[in-house]
C-alpha cells in the first residue's frame, strides 16, 4: 500500500502533474523559442539608434547583430536557468520531501528548465570556467578544481567540493536518493585532495582528505571514505592507500 502525503488531495495531484507538463511542454519550450525573435527585434531596434560608444559605431552591421544575438542568448539563459531556478530550487529547502510536496514539484521544474535553457557557452569541463559555472548553479567549490565531466554533480545545490579535487571522465557525485516515497538530499562533502577516477560514483557519501575512488567504483549511501585510502568495487571498499595507488598507476621506480 502506498503511503500518502498528509496533504495529498486531488487538487495537489492535479497541480503537480499539470504543472510539470505545462513547464515541460509549454513554458520552457515556448520561452526558449522566443529567444531568436527577441534577438532579431533587438538587433533591428538598436541598429537604428545612434550609439555614443565609438567602438560600437565602428563595428560592421553584421558584427553588431552577432554581438546582440549572443547577448540576448546569454541574458535569457542567466535570468531563467540561474536566477529563476535559484529562487525555486536552493539548499534551504527541507532535506526530505514527499513526492507530492511542492518542493519536489519545484525540483522537477528546475530540472526541466535547465534541460531546455542550456548554457550558451559549451565545453566548460576541464577549463577554469567550470568552477565558476558550478558556483553559479549553487555548488560550493574550492580552489584548484578540475573535472573532465561537465555535469559532475547530480543536484549541485547540495554539492560541497574542497580544494584540489580531481574528477575524471564520467565520474559523478550524487546528492539525492528516492526512498520511502521521499526525495532525500545531501549535503555531502568531497574533502580536500580527493580523486574520482573514470566512471566512479560517490552516491550520498562523504570522503575524507586524500581519498581515491577507483575506476567504476560506487559508494554505498551514508559511507564515510577514510582519509588517504583508495576504494574499489560496489559498494566501494578500501583496497590500498592512495599513495600505493599512485605508485601503481605511475609505475613504482623501485620495481
Amino acid at each position: 500500500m502506498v503511503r500518502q502525503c498528509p496533504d495529498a488531495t486531488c487538487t495537489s495531484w492535479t497541480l503537480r502533474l499539470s504543472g510539470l507538463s505545462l513547464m515541460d511542454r509549454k513554458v520552457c519550450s515556448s520561452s526558449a523559442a522566443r529567444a531568436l525573435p527577441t534577438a532579431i527585434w533587438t538587433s533591428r531596434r538598436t541598429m537604428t539608434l545612434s550609439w555614443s560608444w565609438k567602438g560600437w559605431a565602428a563595428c560592421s552591421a553584421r558584427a553588431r547583430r552577432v554581438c546582440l544575438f549572443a547577448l540576448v542568448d546569454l541574458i535569457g539563459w542567466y535570468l531563467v536557468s540561474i536566477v529563476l531556478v535559484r529562487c525555486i530550487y536552493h539548499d534551504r529547502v527541507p532535506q526530505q520531501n514527499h513526492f507530492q510536496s511542492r518542493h519536489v514539484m519545484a525540483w522537477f521544474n528546475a530540472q526541466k528548465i535547465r534541460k531546455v535553457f542550456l548554457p550558451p557557452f559549451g565545453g566548460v569541463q576541464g577549463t577554469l570556467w567550470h568552477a565558476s559555472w558550478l558556483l553559479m548553479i549553487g555548488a560550493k567549490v574550492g580552489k584548484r578544481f578540475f573535472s573532465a565531466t561537465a555535469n559532475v554533480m547530480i543536484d549541485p545545490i547540495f554539492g560541497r567540493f574542497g580544494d584540489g579535487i580531481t574528477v575524471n571522465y564520467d565520474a559523478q557525485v550524487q546528492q539525492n536518493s528516492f526512498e520511502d516515497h521521499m526525495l532525500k538530499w545531501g549535503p555531502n562533502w568531497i574533502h580536500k585532495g580527493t580523486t574520482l577516477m573514470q566512471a566512479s560514483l560517490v552516491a550520498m557519501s562523504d570522503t575524507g582528505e586524500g581519498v581515491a575512488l577507483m575506476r567504476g567504483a560506487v559508494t554505498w549511501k551514508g559511507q564515510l571514505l577514510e582519509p588517504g585510502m583508495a576504494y574499489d568495487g560496489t559498494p566501494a571498499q578500501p583496497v590500498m592507500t592512495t599513495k600505493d595507488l599512485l605508485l601503481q598507476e605511475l609505475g613504482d621506480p623501485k620495481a
Side-chain angles (χ1 to χ4, degrees), residues 10-11 14 31 33 37 42 52 63 70 101 113-114 129 156 164 203 211 224 249:
C10 292
T11 303
T14 302
S31 298
T42 305
S52 59
S101 69
I113 289 172
R114 284 186 172 162
W129 295 105
V211 166
L224 176 59
E249 292 291 320

Side-chain angles (χ1 to χ4, degrees), residues 33-48 64-66 68-70 72-73:
R34 287 190 178 93
L36 180 59
T38 302
I40 295 174
W41 180 85
T42 305
S43 65
R44 288 181 176 177
R45 292 286 296 177
T46 54
M47 295 299 288
T48 61
R64 280 182 280 181
R65 285 194 176 96
V66 170
L68 288 170
F69 270 58
V72 168
D73 198 16

Side-chain angles (χ1 to χ4, degrees), residues 35 67-82 117-121 136:
C67 292
L68 288 170
F69 270 58
L71 186 61
V72 168
D73 198 16
L74 180 62
I75 292 175
W77 165 78
Y78 180 78
L79 291 178
V80 179
S81 188
I82 302 298
F117 288 86
L118 298 174
F121 44 86
M136 280 195 294

Side-chain angles (χ1 to χ4, degrees), residues 81-227:
S81 188
I82 302 298
V83 177
L84 175 60
V85 170
R86 290 292 296 273
C87 290
I88 64 175
Y89 172 59
H90 45 75
D91 59 2
R92 299 183 298 278
V93 300
Q95 294 181 8
Q96 298 186 16
N97 298 277
H98 196 275
F99 287 163
Q100 301 166 21
S101 69
R102 61 185 179 87
H103 298 297
V104 174
M105 180 178 175
W107 176 80
F108 274 112
N109 287 335
Q111 308 309 310
K112 295 296 182 182
I113 289 172
R114 284 186 172 162
K115 285 181 180 179
V116 174
F117 288 86
L118 298 174
F121 44 86
V124 294
Q125 64 272 24
T127 68
L128 296 175
W129 295 105
H130 198 178
S132 301
W133 177 69
L134 288 173
L135 289 169
M136 280 195 294
I137 63 176
K140 306 294 189 297
V141 184
K143 302 175 182 178
R144 302 183 306 281
F145 171 82
F146 174 85
S147 173
T149 303
N151 297 316
V152 63
M153 282 198 173
I154 302 173
D155 276 329
I157 60 170
F158 293 99
R160 306 290 186 269
F161 276 137
D163 296 335
I165 304 298
T166 303
V167 183
N168 214 319
Y169 287 103
D170 299 323
Q172 283 189 309
V173 179
Q174 182 173 340
Q175 302 288 342
N176 66 24
S177 66
F178 292 90
E179 52 186 288
D180 303 325
H181 305 288
M182 306 278 285
L183 172 58
K184 301 180 181 181
W185 284 303
N188 296 105
W189 277 92
I190 308 299
H191 279 95
K192 179 180 178 180
T194 295
T195 299
L196 307 182
M197 300 180 72
Q198 294 93 327
S200 60
L201 174 64
V202 179
M204 296 287 287
S205 302
D206 299 287
T207 74
E209 293 186 3
V211 166
L213 193 60
M214 298 175 67
R215 298 174 183 85
V218 180
T219 67
W220 197 259
K221 179 185 176 182
Q223 268 189 279
L224 176 59
L225 307 188
E226 299 179 4

